[in-house]
Each structure stands twice: as C-alpha cells, then as structure tokens.
C-alpha cells in the first residue's frame, strides 16, 4: 500500500512539474496576446500636438499581420488554453487539499499506532514488575525453607 502512495506522489509530482512548465508557456502566450492587442491598438495613428504620428511596430518580423479569421481562431485557442489552465489549477488545488487530508490522516494513524505500542510496552513493564515481585516473594520463601531445612539437619 505505501508503494501505491509513492507512485501516486511521483505521478502528482510529474503533473505538477508539467503544470509549472505549462504555466510558463501560458505566461508566454499571455505576453504574446498582450502584444497582439497592443499591435491592434497601435494600428491606428496617434495624434501628438495636432500632427499625426504613426507608431512603428517593434515585432513586425515575429508577429506578421493576420486575417480576422486567423485572429478569431487564435483567440479561440487562447480561450481553450485559459479554460484548460483553469481546470489544471483546480485539479492542483484539489490535489493539494487531498494531500493535506491524507497527511492529516497519516499523522493521526501514526500517533494512534505509537500510543497503542506505548500502552503495550507499559503493560509488559507492569507484568514484568508483577512477575519480579512474585519471584522475589517465592525466593524469600525458598530461602526461609532452606534455613529451616539446614537447621533441622544440624539439630540432632
């Protein structure tokens, strides 16, 4: 049974590691989405002191202009990514909650096992003390009997 928990822990650790990697990818995707939005906002010319100034796009080579259909498709994918990320976050939270409950249960069981073992050993100590007292009493009786036998032998 402990092996099963260990395998689950390893699997959970792998999921958490994958999730951390995924979250970093999501942050990159979010940054890209923000860039796309800023590019959309910057496509209209800006007015400074009555003169029209066009904003130069920094990332025209890395983010070529896309059609509306492609933009909609990319936004749908980004929404799917957000939903999936939310599901993963919820699973991680439920996993953490499960592990906290499991830890609490484990601690309680270990404390109960410890308490039971301590009680058994205390009972053994009591039995040993009773046995020792009984042995001492019997030993005293035997010594008294030896003294009596020895005195009977020596008395003519």
């Amino acid at each position: 049974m402990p092996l099963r928990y260990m395998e689950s822990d390893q699997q959970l650790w792998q999921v958490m590691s994958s999730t951390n990697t995924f979250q970093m990818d999501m942050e990159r995707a979010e940054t890209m989405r923000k860039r796309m939005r800023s590019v959309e906002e910057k496509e209209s010319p800006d007015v400074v002191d009555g003169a029209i100034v066009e904003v130069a796009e920094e990332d025209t080579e890395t983010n070529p202009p896309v059609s509306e259909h492609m933009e909609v498709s990319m936004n749908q994918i980004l929404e799917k990514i957000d939903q999936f990320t939310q599901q993963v976050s919820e699973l991680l939270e439920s996993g953490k909650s499960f592990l906290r409950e499991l830890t609490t249960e484990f601690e309680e069981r270990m404390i109960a096992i410890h308490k039971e073992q301590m009680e058994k050993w205390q009972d053994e100590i009591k039995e040993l003390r009773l046995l020792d007292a009984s042995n001492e009493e019997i030993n005293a009786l035997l010594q008294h009997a030896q003294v009596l036998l020895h005195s009977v032998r020596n008395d003519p």
Side-chain angles (χ1 to χ4, degrees):
M1 194 169 226
L3 182 61
R4 191 173 78 200
Y5 286 128
M6 182 185 297
E7 291 171 357
S8 297
D9 289 346
Q10 289 173 345
Q11 291 169 348
L12 182 62
W13 178 252
Q14 290 172 349
V15 168
M16 290 174 68
S17 296
S18 298
T19 303
N20 287 339
T21 303
F22 181 74
Q23 286 176 339
M24 289 190 302
D25 290 342
M26 286 303 302
E27 289 171 3
R28 285 189 212 118
E30 183 66 25
T31 303
M32 185 175 184
R33 185 177 350 170
K34 287 178 182 176
R35 284 183 189 162
M36 287 175 52
R37 286 184 185 156
S38 73
V39 167
E40 290 172 3
E41 293 169 1
K42 290 180 180 180
E43 285 179 355
S44 62
D46 290 340
V47 177
V48 177
D49 292 331
I52 297 176
V53 178
E54 293 213 5
V55 177
E57 292 181 16
E58 298 173 358
D59 297 323
T60 53
E61 295 174 5
T62 57
N63 290 330
V66 293
S67 68
E68 280 186 44
H69 176 70
M70 291 301 281
E71 189 174 321
V72 167
S73 296
M74 288 189 305
N75 284 334
Q76 288 173 344
I77 291 171
L78 290 173
E79 286 298 318
K80 289 178 185 177
I81 289 171
D82 287 342
Q83 290 172 355
F84 183 70
T85 301
Q86 183 63 34
Q87 287 176 338
V88 168
S89 294
E90 290 170 2
L91 285 172
L92 282 172
E93 286 303 314
S94 67
K96 287 178 185 178
S97 175
F98 172 74
L99 288 175
R100 279 190 291 267
E101 291 171 11
L102 188 63
T103 300
T104 301
E105 183 180 328
F106 175 76
E107 288 175 355
E108 289 171 355
R109 291 177 79 188
M110 288 303 295
I111 289 169
I113 289 169
H114 180 265
K115 184 178 179 180
E116 287 175 18
Q117 187 61 46
M118 291 291 115
E119 288 172 357
K120 284 180 185 178
W121 284 336
Q122 287 174 350
D123 289 342
E124 284 182 32
I125 289 171
K126 286 178 185 176
E127 288 176 15
L128 287 172
R129 285 184 177 153
L130 289 173
L131 182 62
D132 186 50
S134 174
N135 284 343
E136 290 295 323
E137 195 175 305
I138 291 172
N139 193 24
L141 286 173
L142 286 174
Q143 284 179 351
H144 183 63
Q146 272 183 332
V147 169
L148 287 175
L149 283 174
H150 188 59
S151 67
V152 168
R153 267 196 234 162
N154 289 334
D155 283 343

